[in-house]
Amino acid sequence: MLLTNAQIVTLQSDDNFGLIADGAIAVEDQNIAWVGPAKEVPGRHLNDETHDIAGRLVTPALIDCHTHVVFGGNRAAEFEQRLNGASYEEVAKAGGGIVSTVTATRASSPEALLADALTRVDALIGEGVCLIEVKSGYGLDHETELKMLRVARQIAQARPIEVKTSFLGAHAVPAEWKNKPDAYIDKVCIPALRAAHAEGLVDAVDGFCEGIAFDATQISRIFDVAVELGLPVKLHAEQLSNFGGTKLAAKYGALSADHLEYATEEDAIAMAKAGTVATVLPGAFYTLRETQAPPIQAFRDHGVPMALATDCNPGSSPLISALLTMNMACTLFRMTPLEALLGMTAHAATALGAEKRGRIVAGAAADLCIWDAAHPAELAYRIGFNPLHSRIFKGSL
Ligand code: DI6
Ligand code: FE
């Protein structure tokens, strides 16, 4: 296949988005075989099946590198209670909060979990997303953690999308292990991780390093098992306080540290040295009405790549839009439209250890978006508007 008459946002350089004004892309066997100016198309591609895309904009497909799209129920009632004056603690005592999602997820059949997750995945696909990460972490028992990860794998069978899974057994201490976080890690979390890995269900290991969840010592015991199993790690770090997660993540050479509102310049330096991506999550910042933004300038100054993601979850970020995430990153965090697009493409790919994704370059996967837009800044600029014309997944329109 040969795409012609395209404005190609290659992201091969930061200079004007790496734009090729009148370009062509040749696709062969699910990969990009050639990209360049229209008048330089090599002779071997001139007889390919040609699609004139009428001057539209082409970007790499979007990547959502931090989601919790598999979960039971929702928390709209809790949202309402809080708007009527209930505190987060009161809601939790009344059976709300993360515990209610754990209860609903345990009670849901795999079929129901999948059907529910697909409603969210379809919305992301409709905006040009071709790769998502999906975490466990609402099971918090052996059986349900594995059930969530099997459902996450099934998403990629049910829809034209690629899925990377992260084991997040260390998301919260479940009610039955209250005040016994270490026992929970030893008796539930680590055995579930080993079993999930043995079943081929785990691409990375994640944790929630926070006062209300697990400390760095507890997370490091899980990360040690990840290292033993040859799995990369990532971490929810510095979301509500500076709790040492970023330095821990850097020490383990994590793919990414995520949230990072309370990270410091020193944390940014540690991440730069370790090659750890900073994944920022404006949906959670917005929903929790946080006022301290992540240290974006420190990430820039020290050359830490910034990824962006929805953090789609029923509690702190019921956000199911990659485009709105990009807009929020610009408006709330003062990221530029180029940084937002890199955050949803090339840097998101790095945060997932996904090679050959996120830039339009020969040899990369042919996962592309065609937009009814004239300039790449338009993607982050509008609020609640989707200019996607079509999506190419693994070389197929
Ligand atoms: N950070 C968050 O903001 C969510 N998980 C996490 O590690 C909260 C999840 C929830 O409230 O259900
Ligand atoms: Fe999260």
Side-chain angles (χ1 to χ4, degrees):
M1 173 165 79
L2 184 71
L3 300 177
T4 60
N5 201 2
Q7 276 207 77
I8 306 172
V9 179
T10 66
L11 302 179
Q12 282 187 40
S13 84
D14 288 355
D15 183 24
N16 196 23
F17 297 77
L19 195 79
I20 301 173
D22 179 13
I25 302 173
V27 173
E28 238 171 48
D29 303 331
Q30 306 187 6
N31 290 319
I32 295 166
W34 182 88
V35 56
K39 49 185 184 309
E40 293 173 21
V41 177
R44 65 181 184 280
H45 292 300
L46 288 174
N47 294 324
D48 293 357
E49 176 195 320
T50 298
H51 297 266
D52 181 325
I53 62 164
R56 290 190 178 88
L57 206 68
V58 184
T59 67
L62 304 185
I63 298 171
D64 193 352
C65 68
H66 179 141
T67 88
H68 309 247
V69 290
V70 174
F71 58 83
N74 71 63
R75 308 239 288 272
E78 167 184 332
F79 178 65
E80 200 175 12
Q81 282 162 21
R82 279 193 285 143
L83 287 167
N84 282 320
S87 73
Y88 194 78
E89 287 72 24
E90 285 163 347
V91 167
K93 278 195 194 126
I98 187 166
V99 174
S100 73
T101 299
V102 170
T103 305
T105 304
R106 288 178 180 176
S108 294
S109 68
E111 294 75 20
L113 282 177
L114 179 63
D116 237 28
L118 289 178
T119 63
R120 298 181 271 275
V121 170
D122 285 340
L124 294 170
I125 288 174
E127 289 188 331
V129 174
C130 279
L131 168 60
I132 56 171
E133 183 255 18
V134 181
K135 302 174 192 298
S136 68
Y138 286 119
L140 309 183
D141 63 26
H142 191 109
E143 189 187 309
T144 315
E145 285 294 299
L146 269 72
K147 176 172 78 178
M148 287 184 73
L149 292 168
R150 289 188 199 112
V151 169
R153 285 279 188 249
Q154 284 166 11
I155 290 170
Q157 249 82 63
R159 292 292 187 273
I161 193 162
E162 196 177 335
V163 173
K164 296 264 189 190
T165 57
S166 297
F167 176 85
L168 181 56
H171 190 194
V173 182
E176 65 274 21
W177 292 93
K178 201 172 174 197
N179 301 325
K180 291 183 244 164
D182 289 293
Y184 167 71
I185 289 173
D186 291 331
K187 303 257 166 56
V188 180
C189 205
I190 291 175
L193 168 57
R194 290 186 186 284
H197 171 69
E199 218 180 289
L201 296 173
V202 185
D203 297 320
V205 175
D206 197 349
F208 189 20
C209 189
E210 194 60 63
I212 58 166
F214 299 93
D215 66 27
T217 310
Q218 289 161 343
I219 298 283
S220 70
R221 291 201 285 123
I222 297 161
F223 279 6
D224 286 338
V225 177
V227 171
E228 178 203 317
L229 299 175
L231 293 169
V233 303
K234 44 179 53 242
L235 191 61
H236 288 66
E238 278 42 286
Q239 179 187 7
L240 308 171
S241 64
N242 191 289
F243 205 63
T246 308
K247 289 192 188 75
L248 178 77
K251 183 175 148 204
Y252 280 84
L255 290 172
S256 68
D258 302 35
H259 287 287
L260 300 169
E261 280 85 340
Y262 289 85
T264 61
E265 176 154 27
E266 208 182 293
D267 292 325
I269 293 168
M271 292 173 71
K273 283 197 185 124
T276 297
V277 173
T279 299
V280 297
L281 305 167
F285 175 93
Y286 168 85
T287 302
L288 299 178
R289 306 185 80 228
E290 177 59 68
T291 52
Q292 179 159 328
I296 301 295
Q297 191 56 46
F299 297 141
R300 286 184 189 126
D301 290 345
H302 297 286
V304 179
M306 290 181 279
L308 268 184
T310 60
D311 192 18
C312 177
N313 76 64
S316 66
S317 187
L319 170 60
I320 322 180
S321 166
L323 291 167
L324 183 53
T325 301
M326 289 164 63
N327 174 268
M328 286 177 157
C330 295
T331 301
L332 300 174
F333 296 164
R334 313 309 291 164
M335 287 170 71
T336 65
L338 171 63
E339 286 171 335
L341 185 57
L342 284 167
M344 274 281 168
T345 54
H347 296 162
T350 309
L352 294 178
E355 301 285 312
K356 299 178 28 177
R357 301 285 187 288
R359 294 186 207 267
I360 301 182
V361 57
D367 292 351
L368 302 166
C369 288
I370 302 173
W371 305 95
D372 277 316
H375 189 278
E378 288 180 41
L379 302 179
Y381 155 67
R382 293 195 184 87
I383 302 169
F385 180 73
N386 178 4
L388 187 75
H389 174 268
S390 44
R391 193 191 70 140
I392 295 176
F393 176 66
K394 293 190 172 173
S396 297
L397 261 169

